[in-house]
């Protein structure tokens, strides 16, 4: 995986643990904005209205620049921050998790609650599809028929993904190029085609691989 990688939830999920008769239900969802996170938290609180607590944590941004958490009334901070720490430690981005607690009648103490909320988030993530992600550019290239074979060979050699190819008077190819390789790839293309290929960087994207399928996570500025 490229050096500019991180991890993101592709498909959310739900996991549950029981600790001394208390139920801890962790529901995880991929998000792109804080508004989506808050909407999901409100939805979970409405769904589990009869629970003792609906604690949450979320982290947004390529550099995890927006982390938030809440204990939702649990005393002494045993929930939100430990939940957030799991996301940060696992290098998870753009994800929200709500842990719903149904009290079982036995007090767990601060240490017991920290362990329970931590384990609940880990269990929730186990039921998700989490992908290793990278940032890159869609690079559109226009060349003549003499140059397309060289470009396809270069793409195979560098293990670049060919997103599209169209044949007309000229050939238009779109490659997915990792961010940390884009300058070198553009230079290679210029050299391989003796400067005849025309190139245009399109939007910067975040992407991961689910099997052989390329998954795009949303446009990056």
């Amino acid at each position: 995986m490229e050096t500019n990688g991180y991890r993101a939830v592709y498909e959310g999920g739900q996991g549950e643990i029981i600790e001394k008769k208390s139920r801890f239900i962790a529901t995880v969802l991929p998000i792109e904005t804080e508004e989506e996170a808050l909407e999901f938290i409100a939805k979970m609180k409405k769904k589990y209205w009869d629970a003792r607590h609906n604690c949450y944590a979320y982290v947004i941004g390529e550099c995890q620049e927006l982390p938030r958490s809440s204990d939702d009334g649990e005393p002494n901070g045993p929930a939100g921050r430990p939940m957030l720490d799991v996301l940060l430690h696992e290098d998870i981005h753009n994800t929200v998790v709500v842990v719903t607690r149904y009290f079982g009648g036995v007090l767990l103490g601060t240490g017991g609650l920290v362990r329970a909320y931590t384990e609940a988030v880990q269990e929730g993530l186990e039921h998700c599809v989490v992908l290793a992600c990278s940032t890159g550019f869609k690079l559109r290239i226009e060349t003549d028929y003499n140059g397309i074979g060289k470009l396809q060979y270069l793409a195979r050699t560098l293990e670049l993904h060919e997103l599209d190819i169209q044949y007309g008077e000229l050939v238009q190819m779109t490659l997915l190029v990792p961010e940390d390789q884009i300058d070198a790839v553009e230079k290679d293309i210029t050299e391989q085609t003796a400067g005849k290929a025309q190139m245009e960087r399109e939007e910067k994207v975040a992407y991961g691989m689910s099997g052989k399928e390329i998954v795009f996570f949303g446009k990056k500025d």
Side-chain angles (χ1 to χ4, degrees):
M1 187 55 61
E2 293 83 358
T3 58
N4 58 329
Y6 59 95
R7 303 177 74 218
V9 173
Y10 174 45
E11 293 181 2
Q14 187 175 83
E16 179 178 335
I17 67 168
I18 305 294
E19 183 67 27
K20 294 183 179 178
K21 299 183 180 180
S22 283
R23 294 176 62 200
F24 295 83
I25 306 167
T27 310
V28 186
L29 186 76
I31 53 171
E32 292 292 335
T33 67
E34 187 168 26
E35 288 75 17
E36 290 176 4
L38 296 176
E39 180 180 341
F40 176 71
I41 293 163
K43 180 180 178 181
M44 291 297 99
K45 288 185 174 183
K46 183 176 180 179
K47 179 178 180 179
Y48 297 110
W49 60 271
D50 57 339
R52 177 69 66 90
H53 304 283
N54 285 286
C55 306
Y56 66 80
Y58 59 87
V59 60
I60 299 171
E62 187 178 323
C63 299
Q64 297 178 312
E65 54 265 32
L66 183 58
R68 295 288 187 271
S69 64
S70 170
D71 293 307
D72 193 35
E74 288 278 26
N76 303 319
R81 183 66 214 193
M83 291 167 60
L84 181 61
D85 284 343
V86 174
L87 299 180
L88 296 175
H89 178 74
E90 296 290 335
D91 199 23
I92 300 291
H93 296 235
N94 295 337
T95 298
V96 57
V97 57
V98 176
V99 174
T100 302
R101 182 191 181 192
Y102 283 95
F103 183 56
V106 179
L107 296 176
L108 301 182
T110 299
L113 287 172
V114 169
R115 287 190 299 273
Y117 279 102
T118 298
E119 290 174 6
V121 175
Q122 292 169 339
E123 182 68 17
L125 289 172
E126 286 292 324
H127 290 80
C128 298
V129 177
V130 181
L131 301 182
C133 303
S134 295
T135 53
F137 290 93
K138 294 181 180 180
L139 181 64
R140 187 165 61 85
I141 310 159
E142 187 174 76
T143 186
D144 57 27
Y145 281 80
N146 292 326
I148 191 60
K150 297 177 181 178
L151 291 183
Q152 289 179 318
Y153 175 77
L154 180 65
R156 289 194 299 271
T157 301
L158 298 177
E159 299 182 343
L160 304 177
H161 297 285
E162 183 180 307
L163 300 179
D164 184 53
I165 188 164
Q166 298 182 19
Y167 296 93
E169 288 189 22
L170 296 172
V171 183
Q172 291 188 348
M173 171 190 282
T174 303
L175 298 176
L176 179 59
V177 183
E179 184 177 5
D180 56 1
Q181 297 181 34
I182 186 68
D183 292 334
V185 168
E186 289 177 339
K187 181 179 178 182
D188 286 342
I189 291 172
T190 298
E191 292 176 351
Q192 290 291 330
T193 63
K196 295 181 180 179
Q198 301 296 313
M199 291 174 283
E200 179 184 352
R201 291 187 194 184
E202 297 186 348
E203 69 265 34
K204 183 179 176 182
V205 293
Y207 66 95
M209 299 299 299
S210 179
K212 295 184 179 180
E213 177 188 1
I214 301 172
V215 175
F216 291 101
F217 285 88
K219 187 179 294 186
K220 298 292 178 182
D221 296 328

